[in-house]
Amino acid sequence: MTTNAAPSTSTSTVTSPSPSTVTSPSPSTVTSPSPSTGTSPSPSTGTSASTSTSLGTLASPHVLDNPAWASLSGPHAAFAEQAARLGTGPFPSRAALYPSDVAPFAALADPADPDSWADLRRLLADGGIATLSGAPAPPDGWETVGTVLGVQLVDTSLRAEPAPEAVRLGPDDVPEILALIELTRPGPFLPRTVELGTYLGIRHQGRLIAMAGERLRPPGWTEISAVCTHPEHRGRGLATRLVRAVAAGIRERGDVPFLHTSAGNTTAIRLYESIGFTLRRRPSFTAVRVPGDTAAKAS
């Protein structure tokens, strides 16, 4: 699913306990800073998701309520795999997903719309699995494979600053990245995930020991993800420095940082809140399996 480890701890994608155990402000009171002024506008005046894109129009009160769709229909449109079907508009697909070697996420323009689910079904092979954020119970015939309860936090007072010791990671670093991800398990990371944005790492004697980077890109926002540190090097604040450095790059281009983590990872939540992130909402991340009947795809 989508989780971030605390800078000194790791997490996994197992189903998490109820987020009610996390002491955080009400999401309705959260505001997010303007990257250029540091002030905090009302969420109702933030970047709206009700904009026409190559994938259609998303009617949502805020892009962060459906960040995967906002990314795939916006800054990450080049990655979007879309459902071809008859209809009107610039492109009528109401579902999209990342390539299977980039990210495990699928997205629905409107999770309450049966047509969105029908388009997702056209995108997936029989028995295929998609990971969705905040979707309601799937239609009849779909199987819920697993659910992770999460939290979404936004930057409200983070001190963003470069990390001089950090290096930019790229395709040549993927084997080392995947080894560190396998060891620390901050969340899903695939061979081409590094293409989604800037990933920074810290090395010790030539070995990658900590990293953090950018994943989802809703308009006006960028998700910080894959935050992890090798167990032998925890307690030195490496990942915190990387989070600040990644955030500095995000703010430099005018976006606001946000992130997700498991609701059960209270250590991570407390740390992120202590450095300037604030709880916005409590989404769930659900893996669903497409029905095996191919008739709907041919209709």
Side-chain angles (χ1 to χ4, degrees), residues 17 33 41 43 52 79 82 99 122 127 146 177 181 214 248 261 297:
S52 295
F79 292 100
Q82 309 167 15
R122 290 178 175 89
I177 292 172
I181 293 292
E214 302 173 355
T261 192
K297 296 183 184 180

Side-chain angles (χ1 to χ4, degrees), residues 146-214:
T147 298
V148 170
L149 302 178
V151 293
Q152 182 186 84
L153 301 106
V154 297
D155 166 22
T156 52
S157 58
L158 177 69
R159 187 180 80 248
E161 58 189 6
E165 71 273 41
V167 296
R168 177 77 179 261
L169 302 176
D172 291 344
D173 301 298
V174 167
E176 273 192 289
I177 292 172
L178 294 177
L180 184 61
I181 293 292
E182 177 64 24
L183 180 66
T184 58
R185 298 191 178 276
F189 196 100
L190 299 166
R192 293 179 56 211
T193 301
V194 73
E195 298 177 19
L196 293 176
T198 298
Y199 281 83
L200 301 178
I202 292 176
R203 296 184 177 278
H204 175 71
Q205 297 180 348
R207 182 178 65 165
L208 183 66
I209 60 171
M211 65 173 287
E214 302 173 355

